[in-house]
Amino acid sequence: MTPAIPPAMDRPHFIGIGGAGMSGIAKILAGRGARVAGSDARESGTAAALRALGAEVHIGHAAGHLAADASCVVVSSAIRADNPELAEAARRGIPAVHRSEALAALMTGLRTVAVAGTHGKTTTTSMLAVALTHLGLSPTYAIGGDLDVPGSNAESGTGDLFIAEADESDRSFHRYRPEVAVILNVELDHHANYASMDEIYESFEIFADRVEPGGTLVINADQEGARKLTATLAGRRGLRIVTYGDAQDADFRVVRIVPDRLTSDVTVAFDGGELTFRVAVPGRHYAHNAVAALAAGVAAGVPAPALARALGAYTGVRRRLQPKGEANGVLVIDSYAHHPTEMAADLEAIRGGAAGGRVLVVFQPHLFSRTKELADEMGAALARADACLVLDIYPAREDPIPGVTSALIVAAARTRGAEVLAVAEQDAVPGAVAGIARPGDLVLTMGAGDVTELGPKILARLAG
């Protein structure tokens, strides 16, 4: 069964079509037979993958890229009002549809599992999507990162399940009506949109209240913010709450995690029994993500033993502790981590797989607002590495904030005894890494910006 194309989205134009969330929606619409077009700031593998599906992708933004018969323009919160294509759409009376509205429309008629949380969303969503696909259930899914190759972040399936990453950063996840909602953690982030933890709690509470009557909320039993939210939501009519984690009172309790280099064997207790399965990515946080995926799949009616075995088919997402290669005895791995909790968790995981070698980090802060609020915590996380290079802040959608630079993070790390080098020019990074790395070391490129492009350059210089 292929669901119908939502009304007014048969000829969509995506502004920023190469983005992780936007490209997934475009791919699903193309799979359903829509005539997809769009534009992006630069050429990419994602753009090429969309063209292979029949989409028309322009590079650069110009009013002339908007087709005469476009039925709508799809935008994310990052698209500013003065974008020439958005301005042209307004001039011609073509409706603008937010990315989350488009995604919500695609969910119509399907049973939705929506995964939210300050970090871990992409991994947990992809784990569940891969496992269900492995079981032959053909889910539709939309993930905030590629599984392996560009364009693998979404699929228009023939089954009745829709697995979606639910973005809380701009409150857009309030538009979804999931049968199963997952909340991995509740922490202060996205400081441009949330002024306090009270606003964060309120936002996640609204998301939980959007669960369909009789549906299930799967939520972390260990993390402080999630436990506080659970207490607030307890007793809500029509909402079943299922908890997971190390806590003794968790419904899906993690009994033990046995690491084996870059994999783990996880044993979980639930419904009076125990189940052990392999997670093919390192670290406790990824093991917990897998247990969250297991609990969500079971809540959606998938048999636990089969789902647990299928979770072993997951081998990771691009940029989530993704090995980039090895040269001269030095392994280079790429990480999307940009929040201090993610950074610390990935460094802990990598430390477990380093086999006695040093852990060297190349970190690129993401967003001025996040750096302003969390520079000290970022420095504390980086102090877990043996040495680190800190790049300039990747601004993404933000304008600079006076006085907010990478120097704040460097100072915070150094006060904790970390060996830190500030590097302003990315071209200098490969040489700097090659100058300190030795056989047996592990290099981690870390951040949500274009630091990911440095991995191959570092490998080339190491092989030099």
Side-chain angles (χ1 to χ4, degrees), residues 291-312:
V291 174
L294 177 69
V298 170
V302 183
L307 180 58
R309 289 192 298 272
L311 283 167

Side-chain angles (χ1 to χ4, degrees), residues 5-6 33 41 43 56 78 113 131-132 140 157 180 228 261 278 312 341 345 365-366 373 380 417 428:
I5 300 171
E43 191 61 71
E56 182 179 1
V113 180
L132 296 178
T140 296
V180 179
K228 181 176 178 178
R261 291 284 287 172
R278 170 62 59 97
T341 302
H366 185 260
E373 298 296 333

Side-chain angles (χ1 to χ4, degrees), residues 128-216:
L128 186 55
V130 167
L132 296 178
T133 300
H134 188 76
L135 291 173
L137 298 178
S138 189
T140 296
Y141 59 83
I143 305 169
D146 289 324
L147 294 173
D148 43 27
V149 299
S152 59
N153 59 330
E155 190 63 50
S156 179
T158 59
D160 65 347
L161 286 170
F162 194 122
I163 314 303
E165 182 171 334
D167 184 12
E168 76 280 353
S169 67
D170 56 0
R171 296 179 173 82
S172 59
F173 67 159
H174 296 166
R175 292 189 169 100
Y176 310 142
R177 294 286 294 174
E179 177 180 316
V180 179
V182 180
I183 297 178
L184 302 169
N185 33 66
V186 182
E187 295 185 55
L188 183 58
D189 195 8
H190 314 298
H191 302 87
N193 294 318
Y194 293 101
S196 65
M197 274 303 300
D198 287 341
E199 289 189 11
I200 292 279
Y201 285 125
E202 179 186 25
S203 187
F204 276 97
E205 188 174 345
I206 291 171
F207 172 64
D209 283 340
R210 297 282 296 171
V211 174
E212 292 182 353
T216 302

Side-chain angles (χ1 to χ4, degrees), residues 360 362 389 421 423 425 427-437 458 461:
L360 313 176
V362 178
L389 280 64
L421 176 66
V423 182
E425 299 296 330
D427 289 344
V429 169
V433 172
I436 61 175
I458 292 171
R461 185 61 180 267

Side-chain angles (χ1 to χ4, degrees), residues 263-282:
T263 67
S264 300
D265 287 326
V266 182
T267 300
V268 59
F270 63 98
D271 289 344
E274 289 189 358
L275 194 60
T276 300
F277 61 101
R278 170 62 59 97
V279 178
V281 285

Side-chain angles (χ1 to χ4, degrees), residues 298-342:
V298 170
V302 183
L307 180 58
R309 289 192 298 272
L311 283 167
Y314 172 82
T315 56
V317 184
R318 293 178 75 214
R319 303 230 52 217
R320 271 63 176 184
L321 293 186
Q322 179 191 12
K324 303 297 287 187
E326 186 172 349
N328 198 24
V330 178
L331 179 63
V332 177
I333 293 179
D334 189 39
S335 165
Y336 186 74
H338 51 280
H339 184 280
T341 302
E342 300 167 343

